[in-house]
Amino acid sequence: MTATDLRKNLFKILDQIEKTGESVRVKRKGSEFILRPSYQKGSKLKNLRREGIVNGESDELVDFKVWDVEASWDRADFLDGGN
């Protein structure tokens, strides 16, 4: 498709890209451009960004147990708000 064709049908082409998830190639002055959605059509999991959320060493999580608490922690202090 040429840039002129793109200009004439921009919104229709964008709607088509959104609906199908397919890329569109546009040629202008000897160069080729690809318009594509910023997401992948299909699985929502594929669209999620990967975040580095582990604070510390990830291999330490293997042996982590929720019920592990420090010896200095006092349940009574926790339940009454530390008063």
Side-chain angles (χ1 to χ4, degrees):
M1 154 181 323
T2 66
T4 302
D5 293 335
L6 174 66
R7 188 177 340 147
K8 289 179 183 176
N9 301 305
L10 178 63
F11 293 107
K12 287 181 184 179
I13 294 168
L14 291 177
D15 289 341
Q16 174 189 344
I17 293 170
E18 181 181 31
K19 182 179 179 182
T20 65
E22 295 178 5
S23 301
V24 173
R25 294 178 184 269
V26 180
K27 292 181 181 179
R28 181 173 188 261
K29 296 182 181 180
S31 296
E32 186 173 86
F33 303 89
I34 299 176
L35 296 175
R36 64 175 180 77
S38 61
Y39 60 90
Q40 292 179 351
K41 199 79 169 166
S43 171
K44 291 182 180 180
L45 290 176
K46 289 181 182 178
N47 297 328
L48 293 175
R49 289 187 312 154
R50 186 179 182 106
E51 299 286 343
I53 58 172
V54 176
N55 188 5
E57 297 297 323
S58 58
D59 58 341
E60 292 176 2
L61 293 175
V62 174
D63 298 321
F64 179 78
K65 294 179 179 52
V66 177
W67 52 86
D68 286 347
V69 292
E70 294 180 22
S72 62
W73 183 76
D74 185 357
R75 183 183 301 249
D77 286 344
F78 178 74
L79 294 176
D80 71 2
N83 297 326

